[in-house]
Amino acid sequence: MRAVMDISADFTVGELSGRWRSPAAAEVFPGIFGVDDFWLHSPFWAIHFNAYKDPGCDGRLFELIIMGMFELLGPSGNTPEARDADFSRVKVCLRLFDTGLVAGAGEVKAGDGHWRLGEWQDVSRGGCSILDLPGVDECPIEYDLLGLARSGAADGDGDRLYFGQRHHDELGSIWTRRAPGLLDYHVVRVVGEPPRAGHGAEWGPAEWTHVTSTYTLTPDDRRHS
């Protein structure tokens, strides 16, 4: 569990610059474990996320990237240790590693409607409803929170960054209202070698460039526009 007193809303956008990665897989939804890998360099942001059936990251479910722009706002009025932050979403790509998910994504016609295990697709328009993953047409911006816990190291090694809760309830979701509080789990500032949890520690500029330039919607795919 996080220690609230260690987290501060007193930080600048410059202190966020860099890569932030999960030190271990966290249970992001009941029975689903995830590894977050955030890349922040104002005004740009991106996430590379891997999901698993188990905390040991042996049973892969899916992998996704989302990217866009972000703006750091003022202190939260509801969560004293956090600041409000808005994250726009301009591109979403997804690949699936579970046969049940592949069948489900095909049934709901996510992407181009033709899914194969381990192959990327652009789902920027329409998202993938079986994963509760919206496209940018439904969710162009996320109303989030950020809280920073400093380690005290001069290079920021050991700093922890907390994002907002992303659950849905009767009040809506993170793309219809501000996140209601911070998550209990965090990502750590990458200084030197990144944490090796799950897949994607080797992810870098070449991987970002390949996925974002290769997997794009074609005119025939734009059924959701």
Side-chain angles (χ1 to χ4, degrees):
M1 299 289 288
R2 63 183 174 87
V4 174
M5 66 174 55
D6 294 336
I7 305 173
S8 173
D10 184 17
F11 57 89
T12 67
V13 70
E15 290 181 86
L16 302 177
S17 188
R19 182 181 182 183
W20 300 81
R21 197 165 198 274
S22 297
E27 191 169 19
V28 296
F29 295 103
I32 299 178
F33 299 83
V35 174
D36 290 318
D37 198 351
F38 284 94
W39 298 64
L40 304 175
H41 186 70
S42 180
F44 304 103
W45 82 280
I47 182 175
H48 176 216
F49 176 79
N50 278 277
Y52 305 88
K53 302 175 184 178
D54 61 289
C57 303
D58 294 317
R60 298 192 77 176
L61 289 171
F62 63 88
E63 179 179 8
L64 69 84
I65 64 166
I66 305 172
M67 58 195 312
M69 309 277 187
F70 81 102
E71 181 182 11
L72 184 63
L73 306 174
S76 168
N78 297 318
T79 308
E81 70 271 28
R83 292 185 64 171
D84 293 341
D86 291 347
F87 290 80
S88 76
R89 303 163 84 252
V90 300
K91 189 173 183 69
V92 184
C93 291
L94 172 70
R95 63 174 174 168
L96 306 174
F97 298 95
D98 178 85
T99 55
L101 292 179
V102 166
E107 289 176 2
V108 299
K109 295 182 169 35
D112 67 6
H114 304 289
W115 290 81
R116 296 179 179 86
L117 285 172
E119 292 190 6
W120 285 102
Q121 283 213 39
D122 188 324
V123 293
S124 299
R125 297 198 182 201
C128 185
S129 60
I130 63 167
L131 295 177
D132 197 23
L133 175 67
V136 302
D137 43 353
E138 178 184 2
C139 172
I141 192 168
E142 296 182 359
Y143 302 103
D144 214 335
L145 296 174
L146 291 174
L148 180 65
R150 297 180 179 87
S151 68
D155 60 0
D157 190 17
D159 286 357
R160 295 172 295 161
L161 185 62
Y162 294 83
F163 283 78
Q165 297 172 9
R166 315 183 73 77
H167 63 264
H168 293 227
D169 58 26
E170 66 278 3
L171 297 179
S173 68
I174 195 172
W175 56 88
T176 61
R177 54 92 193 265
R178 183 71 56 191
L182 292 175
L183 292 165
D184 288 328
Y185 54 87
H186 61 273
V187 287
V188 296
R189 188 189 301 277
V190 174
V191 177
E193 288 296 315
R196 308 299 297 184
H199 295 74
E202 77 290 346
W203 194 268
E207 287 74 23
W208 278 113
T209 303
H210 173 70
V211 174
T212 58
S213 64
T214 305
Y215 302 97
T216 58
L217 288 169
T218 66
D220 290 341
D221 294 330
R222 299 181 188 273
R223 60 170 60 90
H224 300 290
S225 56

